[in-house]
Amino acid sequence: MTVEFPTRKGTLIAVDDVSFDLQPGEILGVVGESGAGKSMTGYAIIGLLDRPGRIAGGRIELDGERIDNLPPEKMRRFRGRRIGAIFQDPLTSLNPLLRISDQIIETIRTHMDMDERQARARTLELLNEVGIPAAAERMDEYPHQFSGGMRQRIVIALALAANPQLIIADEPTTALDVSIQAQIIRLLKRLCKDHDTAIMLITHDMGVIAEAADRVAVMYAGRIVELGPVRDVIKDAKHPYTKGLMDSIPAIGQDVRVLAQIKGAMPRLNAIPPGCSFNPRCPQAMDRCRVERPELITQGASAVACWLFAEEEAGVGVA
Ligand code: SF4
């Protein structure tokens, strides 16, 4: 899939030929710094790209059905029923003026054939499932009466309301305290397995990926640069950018002020360098990297877009 933004000065490519799949009950982590195109990928899947952004190539399929060309009204129904969303700020998804029970009941009744009483019973079930204490007593309260962590649990209940096949979770724990983050990650993992729901977990935090995801796609400047099972990528990150992200996970007890960071910044969309877009920041860049762009090459269960590995595969071997 490719997402582009036409501007007066030309067309900017925000997501460049990105391709992946998700299986039921699987968490795919999509990681990268801000501006990598990871949220844009999620918004494109869910049909919420800000104009004038548009999907310029490729296709998005859910269960064999193409969904990137649905008319807006059909996509609106599709969203919620078959794809749920969780955003960084729970208040984006919750209406402050409505009781949480009414919001969840409305979502259930929009997408499922249930009367008010059945929908209310399902709402209570969902709130219990996501760990809202005393849910029966609290379900008629308003969003501001809950803490940030509890509000995010309510949003998760809302995302699950119609039993979707896919949930797009965009930085769902970023706004929360560290101890609450871990609880929300555990909750997402459990719900994903219990409901057989696929989750695309978008985050800038490799630590969250290590905790939660089954597979990871590392994005840089609109492209996937490494894709593979989390365990393999953590044990043996191949792409120099992935290694940089791995180095930015604090070890237990490590002083977080002395983290190894990747020098430099993600390029702007209108200034993506030729060759490998990571080359100005890459400690291993070679001449070739500045002129030729490496494609994603599959190696076993993983794939990597880096000339170091393309040459290895060709038998040239680079130390
Ligand atoms: Fe670094 Fe070159 Fe690999 Fe890009 S292709 S990550 S610049 S070694």
Side-chain angles (χ1 to χ4, degrees), residues 225 238-242 275-290 292-294 304-309:
V225 296
K238 292 203 159 45
H239 197 283
Y241 180 59
T242 314
C276 170
S277 53
F278 187 56
N279 85 72
R281 304 172 72 186
C282 179
Q284 289 165 277
M286 307 165 278
D287 289 347
R288 181 182 195 182
C289 305
R290 290 180 254 279
E292 280 182 80
R293 189 169 76 175
V304 62
C306 172
W307 287 125
L308 293 172
F309 298 93

Side-chain angles (χ1 to χ4, degrees), residues 58-298:
R59 55 199 289 142
I60 302 164
E61 288 182 3
L62 188 63
D63 220 2
E65 185 181 348
R66 187 163 179 186
I67 61 168
D68 56 283
N69 55 1
L70 294 177
E73 179 51 29
K74 194 156 181 217
M75 189 62 202
R76 202 187 60 75
R77 281 202 307 274
F78 215 85
R79 209 169 33 238
R81 173 71 190 94
R82 294 184 56 192
I83 310 178
I86 304 166
F87 300 109
Q88 178 174 339
D89 179 0
L91 295 179
T92 313
S93 311
L94 296 172
N95 183 335
L97 303 176
L98 292 179
R99 294 182 175 93
I100 61 161
S101 54
D102 290 340
Q103 301 187 46
I104 301 176
I105 288 169
E106 191 197 327
T107 302
I108 292 171
R109 295 203 62 196
T110 303
H111 299 292
M112 300 173 99
D113 185 20
M114 285 193 184
D115 63 23
E116 180 77 18
R117 194 184 50 78
Q118 290 167 321
R120 192 171 169 84
R122 177 164 171 78
T123 298
L124 179 57
E125 223 173 77
L126 284 164
L127 291 173
N128 278 322
E129 198 179 357
V130 299
I132 301 293
E137 288 85 64
R138 300 204 62 191
M139 65 192 287
D140 293 321
E141 292 181 5
Y142 292 86
H144 74 268
Q145 292 172 281
F146 293 85
S147 66
M150 286 298 150
R151 281 202 285 260
Q152 199 58 305
R153 287 173 188 266
I154 293 163
V155 171
I156 293 171
L158 200 56
L160 282 171
N163 229 348
Q165 289 163 287
L166 170 67
I167 290 180
I168 310 280
D170 189 5
E171 303 277 5
T173 61
T174 305
L176 305 173
D177 291 346
V178 176
S179 59
I180 309 289
Q181 284 186 11
Q183 293 174 15
I184 296 291
I185 292 292
R186 277 200 296 276
L187 174 66
L188 278 177
K189 273 174 85 166
R190 177 168 60 76
L191 294 173
C192 163
K193 305 295 173 216
D194 289 356
H195 291 253
D196 227 12
T197 309
I199 298 184
M200 177 180 167
L201 174 63
I202 298 165
T203 176
H204 66 282
D205 186 341
M206 204 60 173
V208 168
I209 297 286
E211 277 300 314
D214 300 299
R215 277 188 310 142
V216 58
V218 181
M219 285 191 73
Y220 190 83
R223 293 174 69 85
I224 293 179
V225 296
E226 186 159 2
L227 176 69
V230 163
R231 253 183 260 147
D232 297 356
V233 174
I234 285 179
K235 208 166 61 189
D236 183 24
K238 292 203 159 45
H239 197 283
Y241 180 59
T242 314
K243 286 186 183 160
L245 289 177
M246 292 298 306
D247 287 344
S248 66
I249 304 179
I252 293 168
Q254 186 183 351
D255 183 342
V256 290
R257 289 167 302 180
V258 294
L259 287 182
Q261 296 290 353
I262 310 165
K263 289 197 182 72
M266 176 86 63
R268 288 173 188 275
L269 290 182
N270 59 2
I272 293 181
C276 170
S277 53
F278 187 56
N279 85 72
R281 304 172 72 186
C282 179
Q284 289 165 277
M286 307 165 278
D287 289 347
R288 181 182 195 182
C289 305
R290 290 180 254 279
V291 283
E292 280 182 80
R293 189 169 76 175
E295 297 301 325
L296 202 59
I297 290 177
T298 303

